[in-house]
Amino acid sequence: MPAELPFLDQPLKSHHQVIERAKLIGRTHGLSSVVVAAAEEDDVLAAMYACKQEGISDAILTGNPENIRKALDLAKVPADSFDIIATESDQESALKAANLAASGEADVVMKGFLKTSILLKTLLKSDNGLRDRELVSHSALLYVPKYGKLLNVTDGGTIPTPDLRQKLVVIQNAVRVLRAVGVAKPNIAVFGSGESINDKYPETLDAQDLVSVAAEHWKDEINISGPMPLDLAIKKPEDLNARINDQVAGYADILLVHTLEQGNIIAKTLIQFGDAIFMGVIAGAKVPISLVSRSDSMMNKMASIALAVCLADFQRRNIPALPSIIANEQEIQ
């Protein structure tokens, strides 16, 4: 048995450090296995091959073998690089990926050439054994060079307009991702157009309610504040001539948004205009789910896979990110 890799005692601060952590996990425990559902996607295969060459992860491919080999050839990846499991449809590819993850043969599930809705619906069916929380959510973990730390923008990928209860689950998922990269007590900024509560702006009232519930139950595990605009979340108040005394302001680790559109716009703006490196993962299932886009750079793809490997390692340790709470007479865990 290999020695247990010590857990992080300092937060990772860049995508390079996330990649190096994933490599260390691979050297200690063996390469994590990523099962690619419907792997007939050349850019995904190129990223998986780069990760294997760099010692980040290995892969199992599901899908049509002939089409996968064509995609491997297009990606200039040797045909014998990965094991291929033949399937006849996207649904079967997703189901096979779910079975491999549920049995422990795969540590991460990755989306290939199929719709996200098909993948998630199949993975999260109760009889497939991968449902962990009542819902999953997307974390866009960003390295913004001028910020100097990682910023998790959530949820810009799965839940269009989460309610209070759903936002509490999103917080749990986001904290799990941050714990996986060594952030012990995350600072959470609940997004708002301004920091004042205003009846004319419902999201400020939502932020107030969310902060009240989360702070009451998780005061020892997180710092949370809001509503808070983006500039105040990531720039010190004195740099903005803002007269506010808030331990989250200027030091946010998580930016919790109220709609999918908000999260998507903020993350893409930071990528396009702030030179941010994107690492995306879906958390809340028993294994991380990795989604990459054809438009993502190779570095973004590799960093996203590395983040999923780090999250899988954290989940393997069975360390609770946040304790369960009761909200609206129902347990959130």
Side-chain angles (χ1 to χ4, degrees):
M1 283 287 291
E4 178 67 39
L5 179 66
F7 193 59
L8 292 163
D9 58 5
Q10 293 291 327
L12 305 180
K13 294 185 177 181
S14 73
H15 59 293
H16 291 301
Q17 291 183 2
V18 173
I19 289 172
E20 289 305 313
R21 176 68 181 182
K23 291 180 181 180
L24 181 57
I25 292 168
R27 291 195 298 271
T28 305
H29 298 295
L31 290 183
S32 297
S33 180
V34 179
V35 57
V36 184
E40 302 96 334
E41 183 78 65
D42 61 285
D43 65 304
V44 170
L45 295 175
M48 293 312 310
Y49 185 65
C51 284
K52 184 172 183 177
Q53 294 295 100
E54 290 293 322
I56 296 171
S57 63
D58 202 348
I60 303 169
L61 312 180
T62 72
N64 181 292
E66 182 179 352
N67 291 338
I68 289 175
R69 291 188 184 98
K70 289 179 180 178
L72 287 167
D73 183 62
L74 187 61
K76 296 181 172 55
V77 174
D80 60 352
S81 298
F82 306 111
D83 291 335
I84 299 174
I85 298 176
T87 58
E88 296 183 358
S89 67
D90 288 349
Q91 288 81 0
E92 187 183 352
S93 293
L95 180 59
K96 187 62 182 178
N99 291 339
L100 290 169
S103 68
E105 296 174 75
D107 305 293
V108 175
V109 174
M110 187 170 189
K111 176 183 175 292
F113 192 61
L114 80 170
K115 291 182 178 179
T116 302
S117 58
I118 292 176
L119 179 64
L120 293 182
K121 183 178 180 180
T122 303
L123 293 180
L124 300 177
K125 283 182 64 176
S126 58
D127 55 351
N128 287 337
L130 290 183
R131 182 173 288 278
D132 190 18
R133 301 191 186 282
E134 61 187 74
L135 77 161
V136 297
S137 55
H138 184 268
S139 282
L141 191 64
L142 302 170
Y143 168 67
V144 186
K146 291 184 178 180
Y147 192 39
K149 64 190 298 189
L150 298 174
L151 177 66
N152 184 349
V153 179
T154 188
D155 172 3
T158 59
I159 310 170
T161 53
D163 58 23
L164 174 63
R165 178 180 175 81
Q166 290 173 323
K167 287 174 184 173
L168 289 168
V169 180
V170 171
I171 288 175
Q172 290 180 311
N173 292 340
V175 169
R176 180 184 278 185
V177 173
L178 266 293
R179 291 293 307 281
V181 294
V183 181
K185 189 174 184 179
N187 294 321
I188 303 175
V190 182
F191 183 65
S193 55
E195 63 268 26
S196 300
I197 308 299
N198 190 326
D199 292 348
K200 295 181 180 179
Y201 299 98
E203 69 178 29
T204 67
L205 300 174
D206 292 345
Q208 183 182 43
D209 292 341
L210 180 63
V211 169
S212 176
V213 174
E216 176 186 356
H217 293 281
W218 294 325
K219 63 180 182 298
D220 295 328
E221 291 81 19
I222 62 173
N223 300 313
I224 186 167
S225 185
M228 188 174 291
L230 176 62
D231 56 351
L232 191 56
I234 61 176
K235 295 194 74 172
K236 297 176 184 177
E238 55 267 31
D239 294 338
L240 298 170
N241 294 319
R243 296 180 179 179
I244 180 173
N245 182 18
D246 189 298
Q247 60 186 333
V248 173
Y251 298 96
D253 299 296
I254 296 171
L255 181 66
L256 183 77
V257 297
H258 299 281
T259 68
L260 184 151
E261 287 85 358
Q262 287 178 351
N264 201 275
I265 290 169
I266 291 171
K268 288 184 177 178
T269 299
L270 290 172
I271 293 167
Q272 295 299 323
F273 298 105
D275 297 323
I277 297 294
F278 166 84
M279 294 169 277
V281 69
I282 291 180
K286 290 186 178 178
V287 299
I289 302 167
S290 184
L291 308 178
V292 295
S293 168
R294 180 172 285 274
S295 62
D296 290 336
S297 69
M298 180 59 74
M299 179 57 73
N300 285 354
K301 292 183 176 77
M302 292 176 64
S304 291
I305 295 165
L307 174 61
V309 168
C310 292
L311 180 55
D313 176 68
F314 176 77
Q315 293 187 194
R316 180 180 58 80
R317 297 167 186 265
N318 293 317
I319 304 171
L322 289 175
S324 301
I325 65 172
I326 303 296
N328 297 329
E329 300 182 350
Q330 290 182 303
E331 185 178 26
I332 297 176
Q333 59 179 0

